[in-house]
Amino acid sequence: MKNIGLLPANTSNEIDFEKSTIENFVALNKVCGGRRKPVPLSTFESSFVCLSEPDLVAVFWRDDDLKALLREYVKGQFNTDTPSKSDIEVWLSGKEPGHLITKLLTDIGSLEEEKPKKSRRFKVSKMSLSEMQGHIQDIRDDDFDFDSYEKRGYVPFGSIRTDGFLLQLLAFKMNELNAVKYRRLPKEKLGKLKPRITSTVGGTDYFLTEVRNVVKTKQDVVDLWKCEPQDIKILGVDLGQACVVGASALLPTSQSSDPAAGPKFYNLAVKQKAVYQPTFKHRRWLERRKAQLVDGSQSISDIESSLPPLRGNEGSIQEYVKRLQEVEEHLESFYNSSNVIKKHRWNARRARDEEFRRVADSLLRMVGGSVGRKRADEDRVVIAIGLGQFSSKARLSSLHETFQSYFVKLVSTGDGFKHARSL
């Protein structure tokens, strides 16, 4: 812009890495004459934080009981019964990731691969450092055979994620490196492998591609699915805002009890209002709770309504922050003094996931399947998902992308309609 005279020659248009992101944005936005303004969008609720195993040692060390528990666990590993924090951290660095977490926080994961319990969705098992090195080296080998790779499940990452209510165990996906290498293979090697449209080797998010770029002739169908086009069940799914899902299923004549009647068609529409009921219920509960008085004269609803606007002609970030500092104590106490709100939000999210599961089950039943049921080898099913993008102008956020992520992952893994593929 300096070269064509749009900016003075002495104007600073470089990113200063010693300054924060927001400071660089304000400076560069002012230089280019942009009308964008920084707006604080962080919620009042405490967010998730990640803690590694050394971080957990530091946390445990602050509490006498937890410190004693930690020393009891490493008893016999040192010449003294009272090892220091640095001694434990050095000792822990030589252990496999997840060693401390799986002993003191959760029973998920073991040195031997174990069958997941009914209450667990995935198999999690620890690996020694030498096994990890060998695993990575095998995948990096130029002669690595993708079809022979049979590792499944997850390996602890050595960290947790928590917001004070939920405790999440972070883990590696065993097939992740395999998927990354598959995506980076040169074209001459891809010809020897299964195409990405019918294989999960590249990961469950590697399917969505335009079908017209892959299937152009009847012979392409035969090569990909090893059957004639008229023998394939087709489920078309279109995602939207007013209707989260609009689906149409085409069943071949061979699946009909009366072949003379021809192919069968089934339609399904799921409105957003039906899927959004758990969210509506949580919002109503939260609004009732906000209406309660917190300091004898004002409710949380009144306090939040009194905050100055951030947008529009009267928007002012300075006034907003000034007022926020005056009421921050009340908001902090309401959102973070207990886990009641987080518990209700968690229950609402679980209820919404159950709604998604029912919708997905209804979709799969249209082509003779169901959630959790393995597809028969002779049963050929193609699931086509519309990839059109749009923006939502309603006050409710659209659920189409959330459901798309849920459904694609479901039908692409062992938890859904086995081996159904998305286009």
Side-chain angles (χ1 to χ4, degrees):
M1 296 180 72
K2 290 182 181 180
N3 295 334
I4 59 177
L6 295 179
L7 289 177
N10 60 348
T11 301
S12 175
N13 61 346
E14 300 292 336
I15 296 177
D16 188 346
F17 293 99
E18 296 183 356
K19 295 182 179 180
S20 64
T21 303
I22 188 64
E23 289 176 311
N24 278 291
F25 169 80
V26 171
L28 296 176
N29 188 58
K30 185 177 181 180
V31 166
C32 65
R35 292 179 295 176
R36 297 182 178 87
K37 297 180 180 180
V39 176
L41 297 178
S42 301
T43 63
F44 299 112
E45 298 180 47
S46 56
S47 58
F48 279 88
V49 294
C50 292
L51 298 172
S52 64
E53 289 183 303
D55 293 333
L56 289 175
V57 172
V59 172
F60 288 177
W61 212 256
R62 298 177 182 177
D63 184 90
D64 293 337
D65 294 334
L66 293 176
K67 183 194 295 186
L69 177 64
L70 190 59
R71 283 176 168 170
E72 180 66 24
Y73 172 62
V74 301
K75 189 176 181 180
Q77 304 294 329
F78 302 93
N79 296 327
T80 175
D81 292 336
T82 57
S84 65
K85 180 166 71 73
S86 59
D87 291 336
I88 297 178
E89 290 174 344
V90 172
W91 169 80
L92 189 61
S93 64
K95 298 295 181 179
E96 69 277 359
H99 183 84
L100 184 66
I101 292 174
T102 54
K103 291 295 183 181
L104 300 183
L105 296 182
T106 176
D107 61 344
I108 297 178
S110 64
L111 286 175
E112 298 79 23
E113 294 188 1
E114 58 181 13
K115 186 177 181 180
K117 298 180 180 179
K118 292 183 179 180
S119 59
R120 297 177 188 165
R121 188 177 177 186
F122 303 110
K123 177 176 65 179
V124 181
S125 57
K126 289 191 298 182
M127 292 177 64
S128 65
L129 295 178
S130 59
E131 289 176 330
M132 286 186 176
Q133 293 171 353
H135 175 76
I136 295 174
Q137 186 59 40
D138 290 342
I139 294 180
R140 288 178 176 175
D141 192 345
D142 294 335
D143 298 328
F144 176 72
D145 184 7
F146 287 90
D147 292 331
S148 65
Y149 187 84
E150 298 180 351
K151 289 288 186 180
R152 295 294 183 269
Y154 295 79
V155 175
F157 186 78
S159 299
I160 61 170
R161 186 171 178 262
T162 181
D163 64 346
F165 173 67
L166 296 176
L167 178 63
Q168 300 174 348
L169 175 65
L170 304 184
F172 289 110
K173 188 177 181 180
M174 290 294 293
N175 198 33
E176 192 68 31
L177 288 178
N178 187 28
V180 170
K181 183 169 183 177
Y182 175 83
R183 298 189 187 196
R184 295 178 179 176
L185 280 179
K187 293 183 178 180
E188 55 270 17
K189 289 189 176 182
L190 278 175
K192 302 177 183 179
L193 301 171
K194 295 178 181 179
R196 71 176 190 173
I197 204 170
T198 60
S199 171
T200 59
V201 175
T204 57
D205 59 341
Y206 201 51
F207 300 94
L208 301 183
T209 182
E210 293 189 16
V211 67
R212 63 183 178 181
N213 296 333
V214 181
V215 180
K216 300 179 180 180
T217 64
K218 290 184 177 180
Q219 187 59 39
D220 292 335
V221 176
V222 176
D223 294 340
L224 288 171
W225 289 282
K226 310 303 179 185
C227 66
E228 295 297 325
Q230 60 269 21
D231 296 330
I232 295 180
K233 299 178 181 179
I234 300 176
L235 175 62
V237 180
D238 189 24
L239 307 173
Q241 181 177 350
C243 288
V244 178
V245 176
S248 180
L250 171 62
L251 303 185
T253 304
S254 59
Q255 302 290 329
S256 174
S257 57
D258 184 11
K264 284 189 174 182
F265 296 89
Y266 296 94
N267 296 319
L268 174 69
V270 181
K271 293 185 177 180
Q272 186 186 48
K273 184 178 180 180
V275 183
Y276 235 109
Q277 290 307 310
T279 303
F280 287 148
K281 183 177 180 180
H282 173 70
R283 286 187 176 183
R284 290 192 294 267
W285 173 85
L286 186 60
E287 289 303 320
R288 289 195 300 268
R289 189 174 179 85
K290 285 183 177 181
Q292 300 174 5
L293 300 181
V294 294
D295 61 351
S297 59
Q298 278 189 313
S299 65
I300 293 296
S301 296
D302 296 335
I303 292 176
E304 292 181 338
S305 301
S306 68
L307 294 174
L310 288 168
R311 298 178 178 87
N313 296 330
E314 299 180 359
S316 172
I317 187 173
Q318 291 86 357
E319 294 297 326
Y320 179 88
V321 173
K322 181 180 178 180
R323 172 58 180 162
L324 181 61
Q325 291 175 344
E326 297 175 357
V327 298
E328 188 173 10
E329 181 179 353
H330 296 303
L331 296 176
E332 175 72 20
S333 175
F334 177 79
Y335 285 104
N336 299 317
S337 61
S338 68
N339 288 323
V340 174
I341 295 179
K342 293 179 180 178
K343 181 179 179 180
H344 275 264
R345 179 173 285 109
W346 168 247
N347 290 334
R349 188 178 298 120
R350 291 176 61 188
R352 190 195 65 183
D353 289 345
E354 179 61 22
E355 294 285 352
F356 281 177
R357 193 197 68 80
R358 292 192 176 191
V359 173
D361 189 69
S362 298
L363 291 174
L364 295 179
R365 287 184 182 276
M366 295 173 68
V367 289
S370 62
V371 174
R373 175 184 172 186
K374 183 176 180 179
R375 179 184 63 86
D377 293 336
E378 66 275 6
D379 196 12
R380 305 296 183 181
V381 181
V382 173
I383 301 176
I385 298 179
L387 299 180
Q389 299 292 328
F390 61 91
S391 58
S392 174
K393 296 183 180 180
R395 295 183 63 184
L396 289 175
S397 59
S398 178
L399 296 175
H400 69 286
E401 290 187 352
T402 307
F403 180 77
Q404 175 180 302
S405 301
Y406 174 88
F407 187 64
V408 169
K409 185 178 295 185
L410 181 72
V411 299
S412 303
T413 62
D415 300 300
F417 196 42
K418 198 73 171 181
H419 302 308
R421 297 289 173 253
S422 305
L423 306 183

